[in-house]
Amino acid sequence: MFHEVQRDFRSELMTGTSEDFFEYSLKWLHHEGWEIVSLETCLERLANDSQPRRYAVVTFDDGYRDNVSTALPILERNNAPFTVYVPTGAPTRTLQSWWLGLREVLRSRDTVTIDAMGIRFSCPDLNSKASAMSKVATWVHEDYNRAELLAPTFRSAGVSLAALNDVYFLDERELQSLAQHPLASIGGHTDSHPALACLDAASARAEMAGNRSYLENLLQSPVRHFAYPYGTPGACDTREERLAEEVGFSTAVTTRHGQVSDRKPNQLALPRIGVGGQFDTKLAFEARMNGIQSAMHGLLGLS
């Protein structure tokens, strides 16, 4: 699981994956005998191969412009299929992308007050800005309803989420072009990127159905794959799995750690291995890919 693939990783507060690390991860997979395949191919082979081999599926969440400008040439060099999960609000520029707003506020100021948290951050350098970004993001992930409490901070700083969406996300024409690429698949990611478990069932279903309808109309092709926003146990569970199936998705991915080894995995709650961030290293990546980290979490009773 990737999000942004950043050419200037440090200036973006190390929130995505650096260009070099992205290329390293694909080359490492090839070197270690993993075949990078599409999601559909992976599931077909798991179901039908009498002697399953190592498959890796590359996915991106949110539809960032650098998935094309930076990541795509690397994917092409490595002949790596990939899926991009896109919320309606990204290409339509209506997404309440609080993470982009927060990053912009921190990048542009050496002192930032987050009134909703009651905290004032002194962040004169990139490391302290990245640390503040991590702390506020963790606070939001503890209760996804807190995201909207950051709006006054953005207003007082003169930060426009619509303008940031225009800078960072693919527009409709670019998304249509990407969908024609032989390595690319486009999946759904809701209309507005909410934590679906925080919504009532009708609203959650509408978020999924509206997004699927929008993408299919835009791309003039079926959209069968879906990613739950945030993807944690607190953001999606069995109710969301049922809704995804009702809406017509054949697979759905989470952000829960793990590898798919069962020949009949739950295709509406597939785990993913996240890559990126300021604390990601080659050693940590290799441990996750080899299942060492998951095994240790299991032994220690961690999620």
Side-chain angles (χ1 to χ4, degrees):
M1 174 182 63
F2 299 92
H3 288 78
E4 294 172 272
V5 178
Q6 300 160 335
R7 284 203 172 100
D8 196 343
F9 181 59
R10 283 186 56 77
S11 75
E12 297 288 359
L13 306 189
M14 298 167 279
T15 47
T17 306
S18 72
E19 182 178 15
D20 289 344
F21 197 88
F22 179 69
E23 182 141 36
Y24 160 79
S25 68
L26 298 188
K27 290 187 179 302
W28 183 91
L29 287 168
H30 282 304
H31 183 265
E32 294 297 315
W34 294 80
E35 183 182 359
I36 301 176
V37 299
S38 69
L39 178 57
E40 289 186 353
T41 297
C42 176
L43 294 171
E44 287 171 3
R45 291 188 182 181
L46 281 170
N48 299 317
D49 282 6
S50 59
Q51 294 181 321
R53 293 165 286 165
R54 286 176 155 186
Y55 310 122
V57 177
V58 175
T59 68
F60 300 87
D61 282 8
D62 303 332
Y64 291 97
R65 189 165 268 148
D66 62 23
N67 294 172
V68 172
S69 62
T70 305
L72 184 55
I74 299 171
L75 291 158
E76 289 173 333
R77 285 199 295 272
N78 288 274
N79 193 32
F82 61 97
T83 299
V84 180
Y85 296 105
V86 182
T88 304
T92 63
R93 307 313 195 221
T94 58
L95 194 65
Q96 294 302 299
S97 49
W98 60 268
W99 55 94
L100 296 184
L102 176 62
R103 183 171 68 192
E104 187 63 23
V105 170
L106 290 166
R107 280 170 40 144
S108 61
R109 286 162 175 75
D110 290 343
T111 303
V112 175
T113 300
I114 307 295
D115 291 324
M117 294 178 70
I119 295 179
R120 183 179 179 86
F121 292 98
S122 175
C123 42
D125 55 63
L126 289 177
N127 285 337
S128 59
K129 293 177 188 296
S131 176
M133 179 82 190
S134 179
K135 289 176 182 176
V136 181
T138 297
W139 175 76
V140 172
H141 283 283
E142 290 170 351
D143 179 354
Y144 296 110
N145 292 313
R146 291 172 173 171
E148 61 190 45
L149 301 179
L150 296 174
T153 298
F154 303 151
R155 284 196 297 269
S156 64
V159 168
S160 164
L161 297 186
L164 290 172
N165 291 342
D166 200 39
V167 170
Y168 283 97
F169 293 122
L170 297 166
D171 62 25
E172 290 185 334
R173 180 187 59 78
E174 291 166 329
L175 186 57
Q176 288 172 325
S177 177
L178 177 61
Q180 298 302 311
H181 195 286
L183 294 175
S185 298
I186 307 300
H189 202 34
T190 72
D191 275 335
S192 65
H193 201 280
L196 291 168
C198 296
L199 305 179
D200 61 68
S203 298
R205 193 182 194 285
E207 281 277 350
M208 296 183 191
N211 177 231
R212 185 167 187 252
S213 176
Y214 165 79
L215 290 173
E216 290 189 334
N217 287 334
L218 177 68
L219 305 177
Q220 291 298 294
S221 62
V223 174
R224 293 186 289 268
H225 307 298
F226 179 74
Y228 302 105
Y230 306 111
T232 63
C236 57
D237 207 335
T238 53
R239 185 194 71 167
E240 286 67 45
E241 295 172 27
R242 184 179 70 253
L243 292 173
E245 185 173 30
E246 289 176 3
V247 165
F249 291 113
S250 58
T251 75
V253 294
T254 70
T255 60
R256 301 165 200 165
H257 292 179
Q259 296 170 312
V260 178
S261 57
D262 186 350
R263 297 215 178 184
K264 293 184 179 179
N266 181 356
Q267 296 192 13
L268 296 169
L270 294 168
R272 287 189 292 175
I273 297 171
V275 183
Q278 59 180 313
F279 301 113
D280 214 349
T281 65
K282 292 180 179 179
L283 184 62
F285 170 77
E286 292 172 15
R288 286 198 302 280
M289 285 304 304
N290 287 323
I292 296 171
Q293 189 178 71
S294 295
M296 290 301 296
H297 280 194
L299 287 171
L300 296 173
L302 302 175
S303 59

